[in-house]
Amino acid sequence: MYTKEFILDEVNHIREEIGHDKVNISIEEICFENDEMWIITEDRPDKSAIIGKGGWVVGKLRERLNLESIHVESYGDFLNKEYKLKLSKKTIHNLDLDFVGLRNLERTIDYKLANIYSFNFDNFFENNSFDESENVEAVVALSGGVDSSFSLILAKKLGFNPVAVTVDPGTIILPKQFKENIKLVTETLGVAHEYIETDYSDVISESFTGKIHPCGRCSKNTGELVKRYAKDNEIPIIIFGDMLATGSQCINMQDDSLYRLNLPASLSVGKQEIKSLIKNYDLKTFKGFGCPLLYEVHKKFPHMKKFSIQRILRETRSSALEPGEALDLIWSFYRTE
């Protein structure tokens, strides 16, 4: 429907109109489906030229073409994503586990590989149906944030027949608004949910000495509690909403045939894909990390921001976060001062 030449002419006209410099832009491929366009550029500088400063160029292009959305990605980024998806598939396949959810996850990876430029979760689930396991195959660690909510939605749709658990150390780590999301998503999906009450006073007190960063200790404790819940209830898989580690490390054995699956990482999912799926569930979204303890630690010990930023940069290097998204997260550490 739209040729490369047409899109390049429109982009160059828009750049000229708003005073951007004239540059040579190369487009690898254009995909169009359901009022959405994907522009695949040869490299990231081409992508930046089409997006324009502050997103002005692509925004005006979307208005001119009267499209719902335009996604601009570089070919190199897709090669990286394709490679990681193939590693995920190989790792999951080689485990040779007889779980409905993992078979459906493999099928999803295959579909995403075949539609690497234009994969969309809404379209995928609209056009594909999955059997659900008769047994509970996974427990999902649900915090009420976007990543864990996405993981629960995906686990349900992929037939893991999941249950959800939330580790509750109190409002300084799990605010009330997160509990509202938890109630909404579990009730909408019809998934059983349970809170695990716990005491993180040692984590909190140590964090306020300035000697430890709270995220690492909190994550470790939460992982152990979810693992214990899974073992006590003979559930073989624990699912977390981590976007790392991707590829061959997306699933690994914990102990005694208990497996940890980082579901977004297994599909090499980015933040925009997560937001696209959860928008159908009216969940509240929060700027930054949403953990009051973390921000209090940042206020008291500004040097701790360095370790939070390192965490953001890891996800940016892996392409799970776009640079603009990473910048927004980092800036959230300073807006509260």
PDB file of all heavy atoms in Angstrom, residues 44 76-77 80-81 84 243-244 246 268 306-307 309-323 326:
ATOM      1  N   ARG A  44      20.237   2.274  13.123  1.00  0.00           N
ATOM      2  CA  ARG A  44      19.616   3.133  14.133  1.00  0.00           C
ATOM      3  C   ARG A  44      19.638   4.616  13.761  1.00  0.00           C
ATOM      4  O   ARG A  44      18.679   5.341  14.065  1.00  0.00           O
ATOM      5  CB  ARG A  44      20.270   2.909  15.495  1.00  0.00           C
ATOM      6  CG  ARG A  44      19.940   1.546  16.099  1.00  0.00           C
ATOM      7  CD  ARG A  44      20.397   1.438  17.533  1.00  0.00           C
ATOM      8  NE  ARG A  44      19.562   2.227  18.428  1.00  0.00           N
ATOM      9  CZ  ARG A  44      18.494   1.753  19.065  1.00  0.00           C
ATOM     10  NH1 ARG A  44      18.130   0.490  18.907  1.00  0.00           N
ATOM     11  NH2 ARG A  44      17.802   2.528  19.869  1.00  0.00           N
ATOM     12  N   GLY A  76      19.073  -4.000  12.389  1.00  0.00           N
ATOM     13  CA  GLY A  76      20.027  -4.624  13.306  1.00  0.00           C
ATOM     14  C   GLY A  76      19.377  -5.060  14.602  1.00  0.00           C
ATOM     15  O   GLY A  76      19.700  -6.125  15.149  1.00  0.00           O
ATOM     16  N   ASP A  77      18.434  -4.251  15.109  1.00  0.00           N
ATOM     17  CA  ASP A  77      17.733  -4.617  16.343  1.00  0.00           C
ATOM     18  C   ASP A  77      16.910  -5.878  16.148  1.00  0.00           C
ATOM     19  O   ASP A  77      16.808  -6.721  17.049  1.00  0.00           O
ATOM     20  CB  ASP A  77      16.827  -3.474  16.804  1.00  0.00           C
ATOM     21  CG  ASP A  77      17.620  -2.296  17.343  1.00  0.00           C
ATOM     22  OD1 ASP A  77      18.811  -2.483  17.651  1.00  0.00           O
ATOM     23  OD2 ASP A  77      17.058  -1.197  17.433  1.00  0.00           O
ATOM     24  N   ASN A  80      19.118  -8.956  16.189  1.00  0.00           N
ATOM     25  CA  ASN A  80      19.448  -9.292  17.570  1.00  0.00           C
ATOM     26  C   ASN A  80      18.275 -10.012  18.241  1.00  0.00           C
ATOM     27  O   ASN A  80      18.449 -11.030  18.924  1.00  0.00           O
ATOM     28  CB  ASN A  80      19.806  -8.011  18.327  1.00  0.00           C
ATOM     29  CG  ASN A  80      20.255  -8.288  19.744  1.00  0.00           C
ATOM     30  OD1 ASN A  80      20.881  -9.292  20.038  1.00  0.00           O
ATOM     31  ND2 ASN A  80      19.926  -7.364  20.644  1.00  0.00           N
ATOM     32  N   LYS A  81      17.070  -9.481  18.040  1.00  0.00           N
ATOM     33  CA  LYS A  81      15.881 -10.093  18.635  1.00  0.00           C
ATOM     34  C   LYS A  81      15.649 -11.490  18.062  1.00  0.00           C
ATOM     35  O   LYS A  81      15.327 -12.431  18.797  1.00  0.00           O
ATOM     36  CB  LYS A  81      14.658  -9.211  18.369  1.00  0.00           C
ATOM     37  CG  LYS A  81      13.374  -9.730  18.984  1.00  0.00           C
ATOM     38  CD  LYS A  81      12.245  -8.732  18.808  1.00  0.00           C
ATOM     39  CE  LYS A  81      12.435  -7.518  19.672  1.00  0.00           C
ATOM     40  NZ  LYS A  81      11.235  -6.643  19.715  1.00  0.00           N
ATOM     41  N   LYS A  84      18.062 -13.972  19.656  1.00  0.00           N
ATOM     42  CA  LYS A  84      17.708 -14.319  21.031  1.00  0.00           C
ATOM     43  C   LYS A  84      16.470 -15.221  21.078  1.00  0.00           C
ATOM     44  O   LYS A  84      16.385 -16.124  21.918  1.00  0.00           O
ATOM     45  CB  LYS A  84      17.492 -13.043  21.841  1.00  0.00           C
ATOM     46  CG  LYS A  84      18.785 -12.300  22.148  1.00  0.00           C
ATOM     47  CD  LYS A  84      18.597 -11.149  23.099  1.00  0.00           C
ATOM     48  CE  LYS A  84      17.924  -9.975  22.470  1.00  0.00           C
ATOM     49  NZ  LYS A  84      17.944  -8.767  23.332  1.00  0.00           N
ATOM     50  N   MET A 243      12.703  -9.082  32.245  1.00  0.00           N
ATOM     51  CA  MET A 243      13.011  -8.934  30.825  1.00  0.00           C
ATOM     52  C   MET A 243      14.412  -9.439  30.510  1.00  0.00           C
ATOM     53  O   MET A 243      14.814  -9.488  29.350  1.00  0.00           O
ATOM     54  CB  MET A 243      12.839  -7.479  30.415  1.00  0.00           C
ATOM     55  CG  MET A 243      11.415  -6.970  30.673  1.00  0.00           C
ATOM     56  SD  MET A 243      11.210  -5.208  30.432  1.00  0.00           S
ATOM     57  CE  MET A 243      11.238  -5.144  28.635  1.00  0.00           C
ATOM     58  N   LEU A 244      15.152  -9.786  31.535  1.00  0.00           N
ATOM     59  CA  LEU A 244      16.456 -10.420  31.417  1.00  0.00           C
ATOM     60  C   LEU A 244      16.447 -11.617  32.368  1.00  0.00           C
ATOM     61  O   LEU A 244      15.716 -11.615  33.361  1.00  0.00           O
ATOM     62  CB  LEU A 244      17.572  -9.448  31.818  1.00  0.00           C
ATOM     63  CG  LEU A 244      17.747  -8.195  30.965  1.00  0.00           C
ATOM     64  CD1 LEU A 244      18.867  -7.333  31.552  1.00  0.00           C
ATOM     65  CD2 LEU A 244      18.041  -8.530  29.519  1.00  0.00           C
ATOM     66  N   THR A 246      17.750 -13.047  28.648  1.00  0.00           N
ATOM     67  CA  THR A 246      17.121 -13.547  27.435  1.00  0.00           C
ATOM     68  C   THR A 246      17.856 -14.789  26.930  1.00  0.00           C
ATOM     69  O   THR A 246      18.838 -15.232  27.514  1.00  0.00           O
ATOM     70  CB  THR A 246      17.150 -12.462  26.352  1.00  0.00           C
ATOM     71  OG1 THR A 246      18.510 -12.020  26.165  1.00  0.00           O
ATOM     72  CG2 THR A 246      16.291 -11.265  26.743  1.00  0.00           C
ATOM     73  N   SER A 268      11.783 -12.262  24.206  1.00  0.00           N
ATOM     74  CA  SER A 268      12.554 -11.063  23.857  1.00  0.00           C
ATOM     75  C   SER A 268      11.634  -9.851  23.706  1.00  0.00           C
ATOM     76  O   SER A 268      11.664  -9.129  22.718  1.00  0.00           O
ATOM     77  CB  SER A 268      13.329 -11.301  22.546  1.00  0.00           C
ATOM     78  OG  SER A 268      14.324 -10.327  22.363  1.00  0.00           O
ATOM     79  N   LYS A 306      23.217   5.339  41.486  1.00  0.00           N
ATOM     80  CA  LYS A 306      24.145   4.730  40.528  1.00  0.00           C
ATOM     81  C   LYS A 306      23.779   3.275  40.258  1.00  0.00           C
ATOM     82  O   LYS A 306      23.774   2.826  39.102  1.00  0.00           O
ATOM     83  CB  LYS A 306      25.570   4.825  41.072  1.00  0.00           C
ATOM     84  CG  LYS A 306      26.600   4.028  40.288  1.00  0.00           C
ATOM     85  CD  LYS A 306      27.954   4.075  40.972  1.00  0.00           C
ATOM     86  CE  LYS A 306      28.952   3.171  40.244  1.00  0.00           C
ATOM     87  NZ  LYS A 306      30.276   3.179  40.918  1.00  0.00           N
ATOM     88  N   PHE A 307      23.450   2.539  41.306  1.00  0.00           N
ATOM     89  CA  PHE A 307      23.168   1.115  41.153  1.00  0.00           C
ATOM     90  C   PHE A 307      21.799   0.896  40.492  1.00  0.00           C
ATOM     91  O   PHE A 307      21.609  -0.067  39.751  1.00  0.00           O
ATOM     92  CB  PHE A 307      23.248   0.418  42.507  1.00  0.00           C
ATOM     93  CG  PHE A 307      24.576   0.605  43.175  1.00  0.00           C
ATOM     94  CD1 PHE A 307      24.725   1.490  44.240  1.00  0.00           C
ATOM     95  CD2 PHE A 307      25.695  -0.074  42.719  1.00  0.00           C
ATOM     96  CE1 PHE A 307      25.951   1.673  44.852  1.00  0.00           C
ATOM     97  CE2 PHE A 307      26.924   0.102  43.322  1.00  0.00           C
ATOM     98  CZ  PHE A 307      27.064   0.984  44.388  1.00  0.00           C
ATOM     99  N   ILE A 309      20.574   2.976  38.271  1.00  0.00           N
ATOM    100  CA  ILE A 309      20.816   3.328  36.867  1.00  0.00           C
ATOM    101  C   ILE A 309      21.518   2.186  36.142  1.00  0.00           C
ATOM    102  O   ILE A 309      21.226   1.898  34.978  1.00  0.00           O
ATOM    103  CB  ILE A 309      21.620   4.635  36.780  1.00  0.00           C
ATOM    104  CG1 ILE A 309      20.760   5.809  37.264  1.00  0.00           C
ATOM    105  CG2 ILE A 309      22.110   4.894  35.353  1.00  0.00           C
ATOM    106  CD1 ILE A 309      21.509   7.115  37.461  1.00  0.00           C
ATOM    107  N   GLN A 310      22.432   1.505  36.834  1.00  0.00           N
ATOM    108  CA  GLN A 310      23.101   0.347  36.217  1.00  0.00           C
ATOM    109  C   GLN A 310      22.083  -0.707  35.804  1.00  0.00           C
ATOM    110  O   GLN A 310      22.212  -1.325  34.738  1.00  0.00           O
ATOM    111  CB  GLN A 310      24.110  -0.260  37.192  1.00  0.00           C
ATOM    112  CG  GLN A 310      25.388   0.545  37.351  1.00  0.00           C
ATOM    113  CD  GLN A 310      26.341  -0.067  38.354  1.00  0.00           C
ATOM    114  OE1 GLN A 310      25.921  -0.781  39.267  1.00  0.00           O
ATOM    115  NE2 GLN A 310      27.626   0.209  38.206  1.00  0.00           N
ATOM    116  N   ARG A 311      21.085  -0.915  36.652  1.00  0.00           N
ATOM    117  CA  ARG A 311      20.028  -1.883  36.343  1.00  0.00           C
ATOM    118  C   ARG A 311      19.277  -1.472  35.071  1.00  0.00           C
ATOM    119  O   ARG A 311      18.980  -2.314  34.212  1.00  0.00           O
ATOM    120  CB  ARG A 311      19.083  -1.967  37.531  1.00  0.00           C
ATOM    121  CG  ARG A 311      17.893  -2.884  37.349  1.00  0.00           C
ATOM    122  CD  ARG A 311      17.003  -2.835  38.582  1.00  0.00           C
ATOM    123  NE  ARG A 311      15.746  -3.536  38.388  1.00  0.00           N
ATOM    124  CZ  ARG A 311      14.729  -3.474  39.222  1.00  0.00           C
ATOM    125  NH1 ARG A 311      14.812  -2.728  40.311  1.00  0.00           N
ATOM    126  NH2 ARG A 311      13.616  -4.133  38.988  1.00  0.00           N
ATOM    127  N   ILE A 312      18.977  -0.192  34.956  1.00  0.00           N
ATOM    128  CA  ILE A 312      18.283   0.321  33.767  1.00  0.00           C
ATOM    129  C   ILE A 312      19.145   0.148  32.525  1.00  0.00           C
ATOM    130  O   ILE A 312      18.663  -0.260  31.459  1.00  0.00           O
ATOM    131  CB  ILE A 312      17.907   1.804  33.961  1.00  0.00           C
ATOM    132  CG1 ILE A 312      16.881   1.952  35.091  1.00  0.00           C
ATOM    133  CG2 ILE A 312      17.366   2.414  32.673  1.00  0.00           C
ATOM    134  CD1 ILE A 312      16.660   3.379  35.540  1.00  0.00           C
ATOM    135  N   LEU A 313      20.430   0.434  32.650  1.00  0.00           N
ATOM    136  CA  LEU A 313      21.326   0.342  31.495  1.00  0.00           C
ATOM    137  C   LEU A 313      21.484  -1.097  31.015  1.00  0.00           C
ATOM    138  O   LEU A 313      21.664  -1.339  29.817  1.00  0.00           O
ATOM    139  CB  LEU A 313      22.692   0.943  31.852  1.00  0.00           C
ATOM    140  CG  LEU A 313      22.704   2.449  32.114  1.00  0.00           C
ATOM    141  CD1 LEU A 313      24.114   2.925  32.452  1.00  0.00           C
ATOM    142  CD2 LEU A 313      22.165   3.211  30.905  1.00  0.00           C
ATOM    143  N   ARG A 314      21.428  -2.065  31.939  1.00  0.00           N
ATOM    144  CA  ARG A 314      21.496  -3.474  31.519  1.00  0.00           C
ATOM    145  C   ARG A 314      20.339  -3.805  30.575  1.00  0.00           C
ATOM    146  O   ARG A 314      20.533  -4.476  29.560  1.00  0.00           O
ATOM    147  CB  ARG A 314      21.462  -4.401  32.742  1.00  0.00           C
ATOM    148  CG  ARG A 314      22.755  -4.520  33.495  1.00  0.00           C
ATOM    149  CD  ARG A 314      22.786  -5.769  34.374  1.00  0.00           C
ATOM    150  NE  ARG A 314      21.714  -5.793  35.348  1.00  0.00           N
ATOM    151  CZ  ARG A 314      21.783  -5.270  36.565  1.00  0.00           C
ATOM    152  NH1 ARG A 314      22.890  -4.639  36.942  1.00  0.00           N
ATOM    153  NH2 ARG A 314      20.773  -5.356  37.405  1.00  0.00           N
ATOM    154  N   GLU A 315      19.138  -3.352  30.931  1.00  0.00           N
ATOM    155  CA  GLU A 315      17.976  -3.631  30.084  1.00  0.00           C
ATOM    156  C   GLU A 315      18.054  -2.846  28.777  1.00  0.00           C
ATOM    157  O   GLU A 315      17.563  -3.301  27.745  1.00  0.00           O
ATOM    158  CB  GLU A 315      16.692  -3.304  30.834  1.00  0.00           C
ATOM    159  CG  GLU A 315      16.419  -4.244  32.003  1.00  0.00           C
ATOM    160  CD  GLU A 315      15.031  -4.070  32.592  1.00  0.00           C
ATOM    161  OE1 GLU A 315      14.347  -3.085  32.233  1.00  0.00           O
ATOM    162  OE2 GLU A 315      14.626  -4.920  33.409  1.00  0.00           O
ATOM    163  N   THR A 316      18.673  -1.666  28.812  1.00  0.00           N
ATOM    164  CA  THR A 316      18.814  -0.865  27.588  1.00  0.00           C
ATOM    165  C   THR A 316      19.797  -1.530  26.632  1.00  0.00           C
ATOM    166  O   THR A 316      19.554  -1.600  25.426  1.00  0.00           O
ATOM    167  CB  THR A 316      19.290   0.552  27.934  1.00  0.00           C
ATOM    168  OG1 THR A 316      18.430   1.109  28.929  1.00  0.00           O
ATOM    169  CG2 THR A 316      19.249   1.448  26.701  1.00  0.00           C
ATOM    170  N   ARG A 317      20.910  -2.026  27.166  1.00  0.00           N
ATOM    171  CA  ARG A 317      21.903  -2.703  26.318  1.00  0.00           C
ATOM    172  C   ARG A 317      21.307  -3.931  25.643  1.00  0.00           C
ATOM    173  O   ARG A 317      21.682  -4.284  24.520  1.00  0.00           O
ATOM    174  CB  ARG A 317      23.125  -3.117  27.140  1.00  0.00           C
ATOM    175  CG  ARG A 317      24.062  -1.994  27.501  1.00  0.00           C
ATOM    176  CD  ARG A 317      25.398  -2.529  27.990  1.00  0.00           C
ATOM    177  NE  ARG A 317      25.252  -3.362  29.173  1.00  0.00           N
ATOM    178  CZ  ARG A 317      25.282  -2.898  30.419  1.00  0.00           C
ATOM    179  NH1 ARG A 317      25.423  -1.609  30.627  1.00  0.00           N
ATOM    180  NH2 ARG A 317      25.166  -3.716  31.438  1.00  0.00           N
ATOM    181  N   SER A 318      20.367  -4.583  26.311  1.00  0.00           N
ATOM    182  CA  SER A 318      19.772  -5.794  25.747  1.00  0.00           C
ATOM    183  C   SER A 318      18.625  -5.485  24.790  1.00  0.00           C
ATOM    184  O   SER A 318      18.016  -6.392  24.238  1.00  0.00           O
ATOM    185  CB  SER A 318      19.246  -6.691  26.867  1.00  0.00           C
ATOM    186  OG  SER A 318      18.066  -6.156  27.417  1.00  0.00           O
ATOM    187  N   SER A 319      18.299  -4.186  24.629  1.00  0.00           N
ATOM    188  CA  SER A 319      17.197  -3.716  23.771  1.00  0.00           C
ATOM    189  C   SER A 319      15.819  -3.961  24.369  1.00  0.00           C
ATOM    190  O   SER A 319      14.811  -3.800  23.695  1.00  0.00           O
ATOM    191  CB  SER A 319      17.265  -4.349  22.364  1.00  0.00           C
ATOM    192  OG  SER A 319      18.482  -4.014  21.735  1.00  0.00           O
ATOM    193  N   ALA A 320      15.761  -4.384  25.644  1.00  0.00           N
ATOM    194  CA  ALA A 320      14.460  -4.511  26.308  1.00  0.00           C
ATOM    195  C   ALA A 320      13.863  -3.136  26.558  1.00  0.00           C
ATOM    196  O   ALA A 320      12.640  -2.965  26.565  1.00  0.00           O
ATOM    197  CB  ALA A 320      14.614  -5.265  27.620  1.00  0.00           C
ATOM    198  N   LEU A 321      14.721  -2.153  26.772  1.00  0.00           N
ATOM    199  CA  LEU A 321      14.297  -0.766  26.934  1.00  0.00           C
ATOM    200  C   LEU A 321      14.857   0.071  25.803  1.00  0.00           C
ATOM    201  O   LEU A 321      16.024  -0.099  25.408  1.00  0.00           O
ATOM    202  CB  LEU A 321      14.810  -0.192  28.260  1.00  0.00           C
ATOM    203  CG  LEU A 321      14.070  -0.511  29.554  1.00  0.00           C
ATOM    204  CD1 LEU A 321      14.830   0.109  30.722  1.00  0.00           C
ATOM    205  CD2 LEU A 321      12.649   0.005  29.521  1.00  0.00           C
ATOM    206  N   GLU A 322      14.056   0.988  25.285  1.00  0.00           N
ATOM    207  CA  GLU A 322      14.543   1.981  24.337  1.00  0.00           C
ATOM    208  C   GLU A 322      15.283   3.067  25.121  1.00  0.00           C
ATOM    209  O   GLU A 322      14.979   3.312  26.305  1.00  0.00           O
ATOM    210  CB  GLU A 322      13.384   2.606  23.569  1.00  0.00           C
ATOM    211  CG  GLU A 322      12.840   1.724  22.451  1.00  0.00           C
ATOM    212  CD  GLU A 322      13.831   1.546  21.315  1.00  0.00           C
ATOM    213  OE1 GLU A 322      14.455   2.531  20.889  1.00  0.00           O
ATOM    214  OE2 GLU A 322      14.009   0.389  20.874  1.00  0.00           O
ATOM    215  N   PRO A 323      16.260   3.742  24.497  1.00  0.00           N
ATOM    216  CA  PRO A 323      16.987   4.805  25.205  1.00  0.00           C
ATOM    217  C   PRO A 323      16.068   5.865  25.808  1.00  0.00           C
ATOM    218  O   PRO A 323      16.309   6.336  26.926  1.00  0.00           O
ATOM    219  CB  PRO A 323      17.889   5.397  24.108  1.00  0.00           C
ATOM    220  CG  PRO A 323      18.143   4.245  23.191  1.00  0.00           C
ATOM    221  CD  PRO A 323      16.859   3.467  23.177  1.00  0.00           C
ATOM    222  N   ALA A 326      14.546   4.471  28.922  1.00  0.00           N
ATOM    223  CA  ALA A 326      15.562   4.428  29.977  1.00  0.00           C
ATOM    224  C   ALA A 326      15.773   5.814  30.572  1.00  0.00           C
ATOM    225  O   ALA A 326      15.897   5.971  31.796  1.00  0.00           O
ATOM    226  CB  ALA A 326      16.872   3.883  29.410  1.00  0.00           C
TER     227      ALA A 326
END
